[in-house]
Amino acid sequence: MPADSVFAAELPWPDYDAKVRDGSVPILIPIGSMEQHGHHMPMHVDVLLPVEFARRVAGQVGALVAPPFTYGYKSHQKSGGGNHLPGTTSLDGATLVAALRDVIKEFARHGVRKISLVNGHFENSWFIIEGIDLALRELRWSGIDDMKIVVLSYWDFVDKATIAKLYPDGFPGWDIEHGGVLETSLMLALHPHMVHLERAIDHPPASFPPYDVYPPKPEWTPQCGTLSSPKQASEEKGRILLNVCVDGIVKALRTEFQG
């Protein structure tokens, strides 16, 4: 039945209105990007993962999941390979900020007072904060001053014990995990039909100098687009990550929205 869906856009408007009007139901907004993820995965990994985390979390915290942002801020060479790579399709920072501001204000107009932005693309981070800041400022001008917004990125809930399980030979670092073991393992657990591990390129972790250059230097990024090898990814590792991240997000949102 559509009325039972956790996806807000699947509800008829009277059912949605009844759920959110009094401000008690949180809205989870997944924020991703269209960005290359190597030869072995699709370009909407950063959308699929936060949507699935939001879906799994929503039922446990009594929330609804909004339609995701499917485009994000520009890929940075030292965290996503770079915006110069084919397929990566990005927004200017001002565009993303304005869209986020507008969407937050619209949900507030509906009665929503609790929002969590579930990020799946590292480069979005500061623009998410700016969008929230502008939205809250304008809402205060309208007399709405009881909003609460939680920003989270699923990878921040991966603790040291889990890292030790996933990377027995040593952790290369979050900054070069793009298209590597973490994202590939999660995709193997959630969307295995979209992962072609036999096409993955096994290569040493990318190495960058301690500064940035613009325009980017394509030779800094491994030609395949991943920043570390995904060859050690597995469905089992993906399920470990899934459980750890969902549990952490649920705990965080219960703390902030319920108690």
Side-chain angles (χ1 to χ4, degrees):
M1 294 289 292
D4 296 328
S5 177
V6 298
F7 291 104
E10 293 182 356
L11 300 174
W13 78 259
D15 301 319
Y16 168 79
D17 180 48
K19 287 177 181 288
V20 306
R21 189 188 315 143
D22 68 358
S24 63
V25 172
I27 293 288
L28 311 182
I29 307 176
I31 304 180
S33 69
M34 181 175 171
E35 181 185 39
Q36 65 79 28
H37 278 74
H39 293 187
H40 65 295
M41 288 199 295
M43 291 186 292
H44 63 336
V45 168
D46 289 352
V47 178
L48 293 173
L49 295 182
V51 167
E52 184 60 19
F53 279 117
R55 185 189 73 80
R56 288 171 180 252
V57 166
Q60 299 188 55
V61 299
L64 291 174
V65 180
F69 277 72
T70 55
Y71 297 99
Y73 184 65
K74 299 160 189 167
S75 177
H76 183 57
Q77 190 162 26
K78 292 160 70 174
S79 56
N83 216 62
H84 62 287
L85 287 162
T88 298
T89 308
S90 307
L91 301 176
D92 286 344
T95 306
L96 180 57
V97 167
L100 281 167
R101 178 199 63 194
D102 290 351
V103 168
I104 290 168
K105 289 169 59 182
E106 282 294 276
F107 280 121
R109 179 176 65 82
H110 304 160
V112 173
R113 292 297 180 266
K114 304 171 185 176
I115 293 174
S116 178
L117 302 176
V118 183
N119 185 30
H121 178 62
F122 174 79
E123 288 88 340
N124 287 337
S125 300
W126 292 109
F127 300 94
I128 291 172
I129 295 170
E130 179 69 0
I132 291 170
D133 185 64
L134 295 182
L136 291 180
R137 183 174 68 186
E138 293 182 21
L139 287 168
R140 285 192 294 269
W141 293 342
S142 303
I144 297 174
D145 59 3
D146 57 346
M147 294 288 293
K148 187 168 197 177
I149 301 179
V150 175
V151 182
L152 57 88
S153 299
Y154 67 84
W155 52 83
D156 286 333
F157 295 89
V158 182
D159 56 21
K160 291 182 179 178
T162 302
I163 288 175
K165 290 180 186 177
L166 301 181
Y167 302 91
D169 299 325
F171 181 48
W174 290 119
D175 52 338
I176 54 172
E177 249 302 301
H178 178 71
V181 169
L182 179 137
E183 288 182 308
T184 304
S185 293
L186 282 168
M187 286 292 290
L188 285 169
L190 295 171
H191 303 286
H193 64 291
M194 296 186 188
V195 181
H196 303 282
L197 206 52
E198 74 281 359
R199 296 186 61 188
I201 307 299
D202 193 15
H203 62 87
S207 178
F208 298 104
Y211 57 87
D212 300 307
V213 174
Y214 297 96
K217 294 185 174 182
E219 64 270 20
W220 281 7
T221 302
Q223 288 188 352
C224 58
T226 57
L227 299 186
S228 57
S229 174
K231 285 292 190 177
Q232 298 303 312
S234 69
E235 179 182 350
E236 179 184 5
K237 290 180 179 180
R239 297 204 176 279
I240 292 171
L241 284 163
L242 191 60
N243 291 335
V244 167
C245 294
V246 168
D247 289 348
I249 295 169
V250 167
K251 182 178 179 180
L253 296 185
R254 283 177 175 167
T255 297
E256 297 302 327
F257 289 154
Q258 298 175 6

